[in-house]
Each structure stands twice: as C-alpha cells, then as structure tokens.
Amino acid sequence: MSLSTLQTLRITVAALRQVTEETQGQLAAGIGLTQEKVSRRQSGATVWTLDDVDALAAHWGLAVLDLLAGPTRATEAYSTRHRPGPAATGQPLPATFAAAPAPPTAAVPAPAKPRPTDPAPAADPAPAAAPAPAATAAPAVVLDVAVELDRGRDGQLLLTDPAPCVRCARPTPYRAGGRPLHAGGWCTPAPAPVEPAGLADAAQQAVQAAVAPDTAPAPVAGPTAPAGLAETAAPPAPAEDEPAPAEQAPTAAPTPAAPAPAAASAPVRQEPASLAELLDLIRRPVERELARHGGDVDAATAALVKKAIPDAMALLAVSRVGARYEHTDHPPLPDILKKASKASADQVWEARPKWKNTALIKSTETELTVSALDMNGAYLSALKSHLPIGKLSHDTSGVWDPRQAGLYLVTPPAWEHPGLPNPLGSRDEAGPLWLTSSTMRMLQRLAGPKLGLCEAPVIHEAWTAYSTENILENFRQALGSARDTAIAEHDAVTLEYVKAMYSKFVSTIGLSTANHKMKRPDWMHIIRAQAFANLWWKGLKAREAGLTIVQMMGTDELHLVGDWRSVFPEGRKVTEVKLKDTYTIGGGK
C-alpha cells in the first residue's frame, strides 16, 4: 500500500508518541501549538505544515529527513540520541523525556591526578575508570504499515474500550479487523516486572514532592505525573512579602544512586496514584493555607476556594496517571455546542427538573406534612457518568448505542404520569431537541420492558464517541473520601475546599474563561444532566415505596409526603439525604 507523505508523517508522529509515551498535550506544548490543533493535524482535519515539521524534528532532536523518512527511521534515530530535541525549540522540555539524572559528584569520586612524586598507577585499571556500559537501545518496535485500523462511517478511527494489543499486550483503544492493535501498527513491549533500582513510579514522585519538597527525588527517565496541586507542588511557602509561584514543579536535589544505563533510553510505564496519595494532595494545601493565615479559618477557606479550579485540574491530572487510555481535553466542537453570543446558551437541553405537584396541592383537603430533602453532593455523584473519550463524530443512523456518549437530536416521547415529574423537565416548546446521553440512558431505561413508562425517543442525528464511566472515577473517589473525612472531623475548611473543587470543575470545563486546561462542554452538559437524572431516580424510588412527590427542583431538592426515612438513609454522605425543612399543605391552606 502506498502512503502519501502526510499519511507517513502522521504514522511517524503516532509512532514516536508510542515509543516515548508523550501525551498529545505535551507534544503540543513542545512545538508551540494547542492540543486541539495537534489533534486536528493527526486526524487529517488539517495538515502538518513545513514549519510544523521543523518544530517536530527539533522537539524530538531529529533531522528533518529522518522524520520524513518514515516511522522506522525516525524511531531508530530517536533511540540513538536518548534525549529530546535541542533547546533551540524555545520550549521547555516535557518531563516525559527528561534524561536520567547524572549522579552527584560525591557519589562517584573522580580519580585524583597523580602528583610528580606519586608512583605510576597499576597496570590494571581501577573499577571507576572502567568504560561505562553501552546504553541499551529503546525497546524493539514492530511495524506493519499495511495495517488498516477500523474506521467509522465518517472515516474517523474508531475508539473502543482499551484492550491488550495482540502484538505487545499494552492496552490500546484502536482496532484492526476487530482485534486490538496500536495505531499505525506500532508497539512497544511492556516493561520488565521489576524496575531498576533507583526508579520511583511517577505518581509516587508527585506525592513525595508534595509531602517533602526538600527531599523529593529528581525527575527520571520516562513519563512523569503532572505536578501535584498548584500549592502542594510548589516549594515551601515563601515569606508573606514574596509572591507564591503558581503551579510550579518542585526543584529537588538529585538522588545519590544513579539508575541503570538502560533505563535512560527506555520509558518507564507509570503506575496509578493510590487513594491515599491523592488524599494527601488535598490535605497539603489546607495545612499550608491554615499555616499561612495563622489559623484563620475564614481567610484560609477563601484562599483555597479562590484556587479551587487549578487545584482540581491538577488533582485530575495526577488521578489519570497510569490510565489505560488518553482522553481529549480540547477536541473540535460541533456547532450545537457553540454559543451564538456570550449571553446566549448552546442548543443542549439538560432536562433540569422544575416541577410541583399542583394537582395535589390544590385538591387535598387534609393537612399533609411535607419533608423537604436535600441530596448531598449531587455534582460529585454525577462525576460517575458515561463520558466520551475523544472528539464527537456525527451520526445519522438513528440507532441507540449504549457504548457511545454525547448528544442526540430526538423527538421526545409523550409523558402520561401526572404524579411523576416529566424526566425531561419543564419545556416551553414542543418538538425535537438536543439531549445528552445521560438523559437518553434514563429514557431508554424508562422505555424498557421492566418499567415501560414511556416510548423510546426517536433519534434523528447524534454527535457521539466511544465512552467510559471511569475517566473521572479516581478523581471522584478522592474528592468523596476527602469530603467524608472532613465531615467526620468537623473540618469546615477542607469541606468547603472540596465542594469548590468539584462544583467549579463541573461549571468551568465547558467554554469558561476561568479554566483553560479543558474545553469539554459535552462533558459539562452530560455531568449536569446526570445529576438531574440521579434526582429523578430518587423520586421514582420514593414513589414506588408509597411516598408522594410534592416537588422536585434543581439538582438536589426533593419534597415528599410520607416516611422518607424508611426509603433513604439520613446523614451528610453522598449516599444519604438530609432534611432541610418541613411544612404543611392542604387543610384549607
């Protein structure tokens, strides 16, 4: 099969990213582009320019001709250098490609020069003078450029749940003939079970840097975790009159022991950060701010809430270390997600409930006691949503695929249950509307044989991508655990900090100017719609238990008549509900 120069270049870029384990965002930063632009060039939506080729070659330290000669030549050239591109790129070298640090001078003392009176050295050279072992080449790479990866109807590569590659056993979301295979046919073997002495996994380094900045190990070869939370990753707190550096990686002294030479050229696969490590990244900023403000709870809380957005994004980045797949932070957006003006909204309907049981309120003659319940951590629970991994692709098949997530233009079904709120919320206009996959999953379940409460919606078109519930799972668990601990310990500062992190995360990952780390309005709508769906399901649970729904509002407000404690546990955890108020209706009122 004959490949064009651009096709070969895309395969080469993918191959170099596979060998180096560099993320798309790191590559974009290294060549002076945005992640969205790199994604569009790699997908074929736009083309790599000659200036881009120069930047790519400089970034990886390759000659331009080596880069254009194809993936075999490029990866071989990269492997012989054991380092990233020259500093002429003008960009900071990503930590992914940082070479193994040389041991400090004290660790391997250099032999002293003989003085004129010293006897001649022995014939046998000292061990310190022995030649250094040759660096081991990068892992063997397998290529079959004739491999055709599976594509959808729009010609875009299909992404599925990651599975072990048939060649190298590393997880990959790509398929070729239905079999898991890395993009372009490039594979790197998995690392040895036992890592060389002196190498710490990336997540552990991030936590060590946060806990003990003065003793944290220096960066080593292979991918490293993103810097921890903005404050925990910074050096020790400066004096009051010194500005605190924002999101600065710790500067650490080199470790005394040098890693094996082979490790300098072979990337080390990262292991996920543990829950305890993620919790420590939440705890450290709280301790630092309380110390900085002399124990002033209000001042410390205000400072933490102010930087909740960058801290949440940093925590997300650390929680994604070692993930089986890479999600896209800045995908190209369909027009339905773009606002016509700053004051207007996009076209997506989130099905926010705003319902009162007016028939009951007006007709009841008996006085009824209503319990107004509050659902705890609504947006935190909604982080457990099916989210699209990559960019959304257009689909006009009208078929519902539960493996996909995104947005659907549908004609909604009729709703004929006056005692239950419409799962689509209160709509002023009839006709087709754009729904999220969270609302679609709810409607499909309601239309199923078990419930049969409505017909399935008619799908006209969709913008979707393969999805998973696990993108935010570690992030959600860390925030949830920190929230529970703060409640148990009456720690109001941490509680407000955690609330600000997950609520601001949801509200700013769309097109907000307050968060430039991610532009996923599809995720924002899906998560918010999931929170509304979760509330609706609680209302149905209460109805099936014999309680009467009086009101359902927003993300967390459910008003019931009846013994709600027999249905819901009372408390402040996300699995519990709390009583906000009681009032009466009927009886002439």
Side-chain angles (χ1 to χ4, degrees):
M1 180 181 66
S2 177
L3 297 176
S4 69
T5 302
L6 280 174
Q7 288 174 321
T8 302
L9 179 60
R10 292 187 190 110
I11 293 176
T12 301
V13 171
L16 286 167
R17 286 188 58 217
Q18 288 284 345
V19 170
T20 61
E21 294 192 359
E22 184 177 21
T23 68
Q24 201 172 76
Q26 289 171 328
L27 174 59
I31 62 177
L33 297 176
T34 64
Q35 183 181 9
E36 179 179 350
K37 290 182 178 180
V38 171
S39 176
R40 289 177 64 81
R41 283 160 170 75
Q42 280 298 92
S43 67
T46 58
V47 298
W48 289 106
T49 66
L50 291 178
D51 288 340
D52 294 336
V53 172
D54 289 337
L56 288 168
H59 176 69
W60 281 313
L62 302 175
V64 171
L65 292 181
D66 287 339
L67 183 66
L68 295 177
T72 302
R73 176 74 171 271
T75 52
E76 288 176 352
Y78 176 84
S79 298
T80 59
R81 293 178 180 269
H82 310 303
R83 59 180 176 84
T89 58
Q91 297 291 338
L93 298 178
T96 307
F97 301 103
T105 305
V108 184
K113 293 183 179 179
R115 295 173 295 181
T117 56
D118 289 341
D124 293 334
T136 305
V141 181
V142 181
L143 171 67
D144 181 359
V145 296
V147 168
E148 282 287 349
L149 296 179
D150 297 343
R151 295 178 180 270
R153 287 181 295 272
D154 57 357
Q156 298 297 324
L157 291 175
L158 290 178
L159 294 176
T160 63
D161 290 337
C165 175
V166 296
R167 287 182 170 167
C168 69
R170 284 181 179 273
T172 175
Y174 300 103
R175 298 293 184 270
R179 298 187 306 161
L181 189 67
H182 278 101
W186 282 89
C187 306
T188 55
V194 180
E195 296 181 355
L199 292 181
D201 72 270
Q204 184 64 36
Q205 288 187 33
V207 175
Q208 289 176 349
V211 176
D214 295 332
T215 60
V220 297
T224 59
L229 300 185
E231 197 59 40
T232 61
E240 284 297 328
D241 56 347
E242 295 181 3
E247 294 185 307
Q248 179 180 345
T251 302
T255 53
S265 59
V268 180
R269 185 167 178 81
Q270 300 159 303
E271 294 298 327
S274 68
L275 178 59
E277 292 165 342
L278 295 176
L279 289 174
D280 200 58
L281 293 178
I282 298 174
R283 177 181 59 83
R284 293 292 293 180
V286 175
E287 294 178 347
R288 192 180 299 267
E289 290 299 333
L290 283 171
R292 180 174 296 173
H293 293 88
D296 188 330
V297 171
D298 293 337
T301 302
L304 289 165
V305 170
K306 186 175 181 180
K307 63 190 191 72
I309 297 173
D311 284 5
M313 298 308 297
L315 179 65
L316 173 64
V318 176
S319 74
R320 294 290 298 155
V321 170
R324 296 188 302 165
Y325 45 82
E326 179 183 343
H327 66 269
T328 304
D329 286 334
H330 296 80
L333 300 177
D335 289 340
I336 58 173
L337 287 172
K338 298 176 182 178
K339 299 180 180 180
S341 66
K342 290 184 178 180
S344 63
D346 57 33
Q347 301 179 42
V348 179
W349 181 258
E350 296 175 347
R352 184 185 186 95
K354 187 179 180 181
W355 181 83
K356 287 185 178 181
N357 194 338
T358 55
L360 172 68
I361 296 173
K362 292 179 179 179
S363 64
T364 183
E365 297 180 356
T366 305
E367 186 174 280
L368 301 175
T369 300
V370 181
S371 301
L373 304 180
D374 180 55
M375 308 295 126
N376 300 315
Y379 280 144
L380 179 59
S381 297
L383 296 179
K384 184 75 170 179
S385 302
H386 289 267
L387 297 175
I389 300 171
K391 71 172 186 177
L392 304 180
S393 298
H394 195 218
D395 179 22
T396 58
S397 67
V399 176
W400 164 253
D401 185 348
R403 297 173 300 175
Q404 302 265 340
L407 310 170
Y408 297 81
L409 179 63
V410 305
T411 296
W415 187 254
E416 300 176 351
H417 305 280
L420 276 173
N422 191 319
L424 293 181
S426 301
R427 295 187 61 220
D428 296 331
E429 299 179 5
L433 72 164
W434 284 97
L435 299 177
T436 71
S437 47
S438 293
T439 308
M440 286 292 291
R441 289 178 186 278
M442 177 170 59
L443 293 176
Q444 294 290 338
R445 182 176 168 187
L446 292 175
K450 183 176 180 180
L451 296 175
L453 294 177
C454 64
E455 299 293 330
V458 178
I459 301 174
H460 303 292
E461 58 178 303
W463 285 92
T464 60
Y466 279 97
S467 68
T468 176
E469 279 188 302
N470 296 323
I471 289 180
L472 305 178
E473 184 58 17
N474 292 341
F475 180 66
R476 182 186 69 86
Q477 289 188 8
L479 291 171
S481 181
R483 180 185 181 277
D484 289 345
T485 301
I487 291 172
E489 297 178 355
H490 306 286
D491 182 357
V493 179
T494 301
L495 182 60
E496 292 303 316
Y497 178 45
V498 169
K499 285 182 179 179
M501 287 175 75
Y502 65 73
S503 62
K504 288 178 180 288
F505 171 80
V506 175
S507 63
T508 64
I509 60 173
L511 299 179
S512 171
T513 57
N515 187 351
H516 298 288
K517 297 284 187 180
M518 178 179 287
K519 299 296 178 186
R520 294 294 312 233
D522 52 338
W523 285 21
M524 179 191 71
H525 287 307
I526 290 170
I527 294 171
R528 288 164 61 97
Q530 186 63 52
F532 304 148
N534 290 345
L535 177 62
W536 195 93
W537 286 117
K538 286 184 171 65
L540 179 63
K541 181 179 180 180
R543 173 67 179 267
E544 291 179 337
L547 278 66
T548 302
I549 304 175
V550 177
Q551 188 168 256
M552 183 184 291
M553 306 286 286
T555 61
D556 54 10
E557 196 171 337
L558 182 62
H559 297 202
L560 301 172
V561 173
D563 182 12
W564 60 270
R565 289 182 177 86
S566 65
V567 181
F568 303 111
E570 184 175 10
R572 298 181 65 188
K573 294 183 179 179
V574 292
T575 56
E576 300 170 338
V577 303
K578 59 177 177 283
L579 180 65
K580 292 178 62 177
D581 190 18
T582 58
Y583 60 93
T584 59
I585 60 173
K589 295 184 179 180

